[in-house]
Amino acid sequence: MILPIVAYGDAVLNTKAAPIPQDYPNLKELVASMFETMYEANGVGLAAPQVGLSIRLFVIDVSPFDEEAFKDEKRVFINAEIVEYSGEEWAFNEGCLSIPDVRGDVFRPEKIRIRYYDENWVLHEQDFDDMPARVIQHEYDHIEGKLFTEKLTALRRRLVSKKLEQIKQGIVNVTYKMRFPRPARKR
Ligand code: NI
């Protein structure tokens, strides 16, 4: 099922998400819906707060960046904790499905070690680098209640501030379904 994506300005995006109990109802269906929603919006990652649920769940599929190298990088992360960041920081022009038409360079460490459960509740502790580490860090920030716009330079933030205000009001051009915190009144 395709779910509406919560837009910038909704408090759920600024809230640290809660761990998920193993008996959480319909988790498999939710994971399937999140992948479906992400693909529909041409995203490479989607976190549960972006569909209005403040729980520690996110999905990624990094294969669009390199179908050969990242063909196995379709993953589900439940109750993830990044336990180590390492390597040089590098910049990448990031975007976010909750913040359409806003992009900016974000510096992040090259490598991470992350502990998480997969969709079958198997515990992993795994190292990632390159684009998978990039996307995982972006999605991990979502379950910590942080957005990439907070990591932009002051100048860049100033340049996108009007756009951010418009997003809150639903003044955006998107091809996917969204939910806005302060829809503008019809004139
Ligand atoms: Ni995002």
Side-chain angles (χ1 to χ4, degrees), residues 50-99:
Q50 293 182 277
V51 293
L53 298 169
S54 196
I55 55 173
R56 298 184 76 83
L57 164 66
F58 59 88
V59 300
I60 65 162
D61 185 347
V62 187
S63 61
F65 286 113
D66 186 333
E67 284 189 14
E68 204 35 53
F70 304 139
K71 63 178 187 299
D72 298 325
E73 296 305 333
K74 175 182 174 176
R75 296 178 195 274
V76 178
F77 294 82
I78 295 169
N79 295 345
E81 296 290 344
I82 294 183
V83 292
E84 198 184 312
Y85 294 88
S86 60
E88 295 277 306
E89 294 213 339
W90 61 290
F92 183 77
N93 197 251
E94 293 191 18
C96 180
L97 295 177
S98 294
I99 317 175

Side-chain angles (χ1 to χ4, degrees), residues 124-160:
H124 299 261
E125 186 167 310
Q126 205 172 348
D127 294 326
F128 291 92
D129 61 7
D130 205 334
M131 282 316 290
R134 162 75 47 179
V135 175
I136 290 167
Q137 287 179 72
H138 177 113
E139 300 312 323
Y140 184 79
D141 276 357
H142 274 301
I143 64 170
E144 291 288 295
K146 296 180 208 149
L147 298 171
F148 84 92
T149 45
E150 296 162 34
K151 292 184 151 68
L152 300 176
T153 62
L155 172 66
R156 186 77 195 140
R157 269 206 306 275
R158 213 154 50 238
L159 287 171
V160 301

